[in-house]
Amino acid sequence: MILEVSRGNIRVKIGGRVATAQGEMFFPGNDKIGFVLYRGSLKFWDAPDQNQIMTVDDVDMVVADIQADFSKGGIP
């Protein structure tokens, strides 16, 4: 679930843990927003789980969750 979107990052909560993905927001027109996500920015979970390295499966899960929320229009 997306918790927060800014021009430079998206915070999501998945299974009780939070991750912040860096990227760039853009506005393609037609009252829509888009976001270029830098997958490489997803390395560790946010505090208090900051010592847990994100696996490839974790990153895929975060990206899929963000895509699903954008598809539904569930952007906060």
Side-chain angles (χ1 to χ4, degrees):
M1 159 187 13
I2 293 177
L3 300 174
E4 178 185 350
V5 177
S6 72
R7 293 185 72 89
N9 64 58
I10 295 179
R11 287 184 64 230
V12 296
K13 184 173 186 176
I14 305 232
R17 296 182 290 183
V18 176
T20 301
Q22 303 298 314
E24 296 180 41
M25 184 183 295
F26 64 94
F27 303 92
N30 299 327
D31 295 328
K32 297 191 182 240
I33 64 168
F35 196 88
V36 175
L37 183 106
Y38 303 144
R39 288 178 69 97
S41 70
L42 292 166
K43 296 180 181 180
F44 295 91
W45 293 97
D46 291 357
D49 302 305
Q50 70 271 17
N51 294 326
Q52 293 182 15
I53 296 172
M54 295 181 79
T55 66
V56 172
D57 289 339
D58 291 335
V59 173
D60 289 345
M61 199 170 26
V62 167
V63 171
D65 188 72
I66 291 169
Q67 288 174 328
D69 277 359
F70 265 85
S71 294
K72 292 186 292 190
I75 311 306

